[in-house]
C-alpha cells in the first residue's frame, strides 16, 4: 500500500517538533539554532516558514521556505546603471515582487531540505511542492499574492529528483556557479597549499601578503562585535550596495545575533589599520564544510592592501589548519576566487509564475533578470 506523506508548516522555532534537530544537525542552516537567528534578525523584507514532513507521524523531512517582498527594498544594488538594469528593476517591481522560495536566499548551495532515508528525495520534493500551494494561500489571505514560486540552488545530481509531473510547468534555470574550494588530502598546513601553486599564483600570493603589511587581523568576540556594530554595518552595506543585484539587506544586529546563538560555530574576523576597523569577514562551521558568509571593507584600503584577496587566503589557511574538507565560497567575485583554487559548480533552480500567460514567457524574461557576468576560469595549481 502506498504511504501518503503529510506535512506541517511552522512559523517559529518554538513550534517545531522536539526531535527536529535529528535531521537539522545534518545541515546547520536547517537547525533550530539557525532558525532562531532568522527569527531575531532576518532581513526586513523576508518572512520564513519551516516545513516538517511526516510518515506515519514520524518526522522524515525538514525544509525552509522564504517569502521575499521586493517592494520593501529601497535599492536592488547600485553598481549597474544601464538600460538592462532598468528593465530588470521594472520587471521585478511590477511582475515579480513577491517571491516564495524553497531554499535560502541568503546562502548558496542546497540548503533547502534534509530527508531521512525513510523516504526518497522524489517523495520529499513532491510533498514540498504541495506545501508551497498552502503557503501561497496563506500569503494571499494576508493580502500578498505570490508572483513567483522557486526552488533554488541544486546540483546536477539533485535536479534528477525534480523530473516529476508537478514540475512540468516550471522553468529550469541555471544561475551563476557556486565557487567551491576542495581540500587536498596531503595539505596539512598553509605552506602545503602555497607549494601546490604554480609560480604565477605563488607570486600572486606573495604580492598580496606583502601588500597587507600594516593590517592586523583579529578574531572578534561577541562584545567586540557589539562594540563595532555601526562600523561593521557600514562596511557590509557599502559592499552590498555595490553588488549588481540584491534581493535583501541584512539587519544591523545580524552578526551579533549570529555570534550569540552559534557561538564558536560562527567566526568573525576584523581587519584593522592603525587601530581602525577597515574590513571583516565571517565563516560558519557546517559539519566538515566551511561556509563563507557576509563580509565588508573600506574600498580604498581594499584596493591598496589587496584586502579581499588576503581574506580568501586567510579563509583557506584556517580551513586547512582545522581539517575542513571544503569551503563554500558562493557566487560572487568568480574570477578572483578561481585564482585561489575554487572551482565552479553549476547550480540549478525551478521557477513558476502564478500567471499562466506570463509563465509561458518566463524562459525569455528570466535572462533579463539575471545579471551577466563574464569571467575567466583560472588554474592556479601545478598539474
Amino acid at each position: 500500500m502506498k504511504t501518503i506523506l503529510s506535512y506541517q508548516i511552522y512559523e517559529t522555532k518554538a513550534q517545531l517538533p522536539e526531535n527536529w534537530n535529528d535531521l537539522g544537525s545534518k545541515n546547520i542552516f536547517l537547525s533550530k539554532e539557525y532558525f532562531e537567528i532568522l527569527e531575531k534578525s532576518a532581513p526586513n523584507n523576508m518572512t520564513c516558514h519551516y516545513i516538517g514532513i511526516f510518515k506515519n507521524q514520524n518526522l522524515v523531512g525538514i525544509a525552509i521556505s522564504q517569502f521575499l517582498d521586493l517592494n520593501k527594498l529601497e535599492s536592488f544594488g547600485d553598481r549597474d546603471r544601464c538600460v538592462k538594469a532598468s528593465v530588470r528593476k521594472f520587471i521585478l517591481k511590477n511582475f515579480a515582487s513577491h517571491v516564495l522560495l524553497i531554499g535560502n536566499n541568503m546562502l548558496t548551495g542546497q540548503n533547502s531540505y534534509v530527508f531521512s532515508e525513510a523516504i526518497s528525495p522524489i517523495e520529499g520534493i513532491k510533498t514540498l511542492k504541495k506545501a508551497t500551494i498552502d503557503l501561497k494561500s496563506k500569503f494571499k489571505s494576508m493580502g500578498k499574492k505570490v508572483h513567483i514560486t522557486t526552488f533554488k540552488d541544486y546540483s546536477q545530481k539533485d535536479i534528477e529528483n525534480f523530473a516529476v509531473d508537478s514540475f512540468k510547468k516550471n522553468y529550469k534555470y541555471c544561475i551563476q556557479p557556486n565557487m567551491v574550494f576542495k581540500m587536498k588530502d596531503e595539505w596539512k598546513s598553509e605552506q602545503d597549499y602555497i607549494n601546490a601553486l604554480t609560480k604565477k599564483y605563488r607570486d600572486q600570493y606573495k604580492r598580496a601578503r606583502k601588500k597587507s603589511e600594516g593590517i592586523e587581523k583579529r578574531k572578534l568576540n561577541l562584545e567586540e562585535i557589539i562594540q563595532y556594530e555601526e562600523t561593521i554595518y557600514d562596511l557590509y552595506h557599502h559592499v552590498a550596495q555595490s553588488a549588481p543585484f540584491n534581493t535583501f539587506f541584512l539587519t544591523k544586529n545580524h552578526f551579533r545575533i549570529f555570534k550569540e546563538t552559534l557561538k564558536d560555530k560562527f567566526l568573525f574576523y576584523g581587519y584593522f589599520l592603525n587601530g581602525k576597523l577597515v574590513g571583516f569577514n565571517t565563516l560558519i562551521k557546517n559539519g566538515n564544510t566551511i561556509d563563507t558568509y557576509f563580509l565588508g571593507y573600506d574600498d580604498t584600503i581594499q584596493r591598496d592592501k589587496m584586502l579581499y584577496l588576503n581574506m580568501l587566503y586567510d579563509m583557506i589557511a584556517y580551513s586547512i589548519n582545522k581539517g575542513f574538507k571544503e569551503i563554500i565560497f558562493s557566487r560572487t567575485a568568480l574570477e578572483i576566487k578561481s585564482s585561489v583554487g575554487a572551482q565552479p559548480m553549476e547550480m540549478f533552480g525551478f521557477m513558476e509564475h502564478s500567471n499562466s500567460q506570463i509563465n509561458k514567457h518566463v524562459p525569455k524574461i528570466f535572462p533579463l533578470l539575471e545579471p551577466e557576468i563574464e569571467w575567466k576560469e583560472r588554474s592556479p595549481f601545478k598539474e
Side-chain angles (χ1 to χ4, degrees), residues 33-282:
E33 292 73 22
Y34 177 71
F35 293 167
E36 184 180 328
I37 294 166
L38 291 180
E39 276 177 44
K40 291 177 179 174
S41 69
N44 294 327
N45 69 326
M46 180 184 285
T47 307
C48 298
H49 287 91
Y50 319 116
I51 304 162
I53 298 175
F54 297 87
K55 182 179 182 179
N56 305 328
Q57 274 72 57
N58 295 318
L59 184 69
V60 293
I62 59 173
I64 183 171
S65 86
Q66 293 177 340
F67 172 83
L68 292 167
D69 186 347
L70 302 185
N71 290 320
K72 289 187 178 178
L73 281 183
E74 287 172 32
S75 158
F76 288 117
D78 293 338
R79 196 192 74 182
D80 293 354
R81 298 193 181 279
C82 60
V83 174
K84 190 168 180 180
S86 304
V87 170
R88 186 164 74 225
K89 288 170 188 177
F90 176 80
I91 291 171
L92 283 165
K93 281 281 187 189
N94 292 281
F95 303 106
S97 58
H98 290 165
V99 180
L100 175 68
L101 61 106
I102 297 293
N104 195 323
N105 207 42
M106 303 165 75
L107 303 162
T108 307
Q110 202 293 85
N111 297 298
S112 312
Y113 58 75
V114 169
F115 302 137
S116 81
E117 289 177 4
I119 59 167
S120 70
I122 290 174
E123 286 178 293
I125 285 163
K126 280 164 131 177
T127 308
L128 290 179
K129 184 72 169 176
K130 288 176 189 167
T132 63
I133 296 165
D134 262 7
L135 283 164
K136 284 194 271 190
S137 299
K138 187 183 179 77
F139 283 108
K140 193 176 181 181
S141 71
M142 294 155 59
K144 293 179 178 179
K145 180 179 166 61
V146 170
H147 298 126
I148 283 178
T149 307
T150 183
F151 284 62
K152 79 177 269 283
D153 275 1
Y154 304 103
S155 67
Q156 187 73 53
K157 189 171 183 301
D158 294 328
I159 62 169
E160 292 167 13
N161 301 314
F162 289 82
V164 292
D165 284 351
S166 48
F167 282 88
K168 268 200 174 140
K169 290 181 181 172
N170 281 233
Y171 168 59
K172 183 179 96 174
Y173 58 90
C174 182
I175 42 183
Q176 287 168 31
N178 186 7
M179 299 303 287
V180 180
F181 185 97
K182 300 274 188 191
M183 300 297 164
K184 293 194 182 348
D185 292 339
E186 61 269 24
W187 293 348
K188 305 299 177 198
S189 67
E190 184 183 14
Q191 191 58 50
D192 292 335
Y193 162 74
I194 298 162
N195 294 344
L197 297 169
T198 62
K199 183 181 184 306
K200 176 183 174 180
Y201 291 99
R202 264 201 319 277
D203 289 347
Q204 173 181 285
Y205 175 91
K206 288 175 192 166
R207 190 168 67 254
R209 289 315 203 193
K210 187 158 179 49
K211 281 270 194 180
S212 71
E213 284 173 8
I215 295 279
E216 180 204 354
K217 177 192 164 199
R218 284 209 322 258
K219 189 194 281 188
L220 270 55
N221 61 29
L222 176 60
E223 288 68 30
E224 290 169 310
I225 293 170
I226 293 168
Q227 178 191 339
Y228 290 106
E229 196 159 80
E230 291 291 331
T231 309
I232 288 166
Y233 192 75
D234 287 346
L235 293 169
Y236 151 74
H237 200 259
H238 168 74
V239 172
Q241 275 288 99
S242 47
F245 184 50
N246 281 309
T247 52
F248 65 88
F249 289 95
L250 298 178
T251 54
K252 200 169 280 188
N253 68 350
H254 190 71
F255 300 110
R256 168 206 299 223
I257 299 293
F258 236 109
K259 191 64 178 171
E260 273 175 1
T261 313
L262 288 191
K263 301 185 171 60
D264 291 343
K265 286 186 177 175
F266 178 70
L267 304 172
F268 191 108
Y269 290 99
Y271 290 75
F272 294 82
L273 184 62
N274 302 323
K276 183 188 172 193
L277 182 66
V278 294
F280 73 89
N281 67 53
T282 51

Side-chain angles (χ1 to χ4, degrees), residues 179 193 197 201 204 309 312-313 334-342 376-381:
M179 299 303 287
Y193 162 74
L197 297 169
Y201 291 99
Q204 173 181 285
L309 185 55
L312 296 180
Y313 288 133
L334 306 178
E335 195 157 329
I336 193 170
K337 287 170 181 173
S338 178
S339 81
V340 300
K376 188 177 175 187
E377 190 173 347
R378 306 292 178 179
S379 302
F381 298 118

